[in-house]
Amino acid sequence: METKLTILKPFFEDSNKHFSIRQLSRILNINHTTIRQYLSKISKEEILSLRKEGVYSFYKLILSKKVLNLKLHYNLEKLRTSYIVKDIEKAYDFPVVVVFGSYSSAT
């Protein structure tokens, strides 16, 4: 799951953008063969769509409930690792934090 989320990170950060295998390899600093294998698996799960232009393949996030749940998990993990929750709790000396937001548009 961790590798999958790592590979999906650029898609979650810019959900309207198409990425080629080469672009993702550069962005994530992961071998293009590994990227290709994971993208193939992820596409079969209907998380990414594939568009071919000549010899290049471009992938884009499919906006669905499944994808929104993955993005929610990604964003919550990002919040957790940023220590923002701990900092807020420490600053206000109160153990509860409410996070508001909307995932209806997947942005």
Side-chain angles (χ1 to χ4, degrees):
M1 177 76 148
E2 188 176 325
T3 305
K4 180 192 231 178
L5 288 177
T6 299
I7 290 176
L8 288 172
K9 179 182 177 182
F11 295 98
F12 291 148
E13 296 295 328
D14 191 351
S15 57
N16 294 317
K17 188 172 179 180
H18 289 80
F19 292 95
S20 70
I21 294 169
R22 180 177 285 169
Q23 285 174 309
L24 290 169
S25 180
R26 275 192 228 128
I27 291 167
L28 300 170
N29 199 25
I30 298 174
N31 183 289
H32 70 279
T33 305
T34 305
I35 297 280
R36 182 186 315 271
Q37 290 171 349
Y38 272 94
L39 288 177
S40 177
K41 290 177 189 176
I42 294 169
S43 292
K44 288 176 185 170
E45 295 176 34
E46 297 182 358
I47 294 171
L48 297 175
S49 64
L50 169 64
R51 185 184 85 224
K52 292 197 177 249
E53 287 185 15
V55 295
Y56 297 103
S57 298
F58 292 91
Y59 293 85
K60 185 176 187 232
L61 204 60
I62 296 172
L63 300 180
S64 66
K65 276 244 191 241
K66 184 179 193 175
V67 171
L68 291 177
N69 285 332
L70 277 173
K71 186 173 180 184
L72 174 63
H73 175 75
Y74 168 78
N75 285 340
L76 289 173
E77 189 62 19
K78 204 167 138 181
L79 265 177
R80 187 187 67 76
T81 58
S82 74
Y83 299 105
I84 191 168
V85 174
K86 284 184 182 179
D87 291 344
I88 291 171
E89 285 178 344
K90 192 183 332 177
Y92 293 101
D93 195 29
F94 198 74
V96 178
V97 175
V98 178
V99 179
F100 291 94
S102 171
Y103 282 86
S104 62
S105 62
T107 57

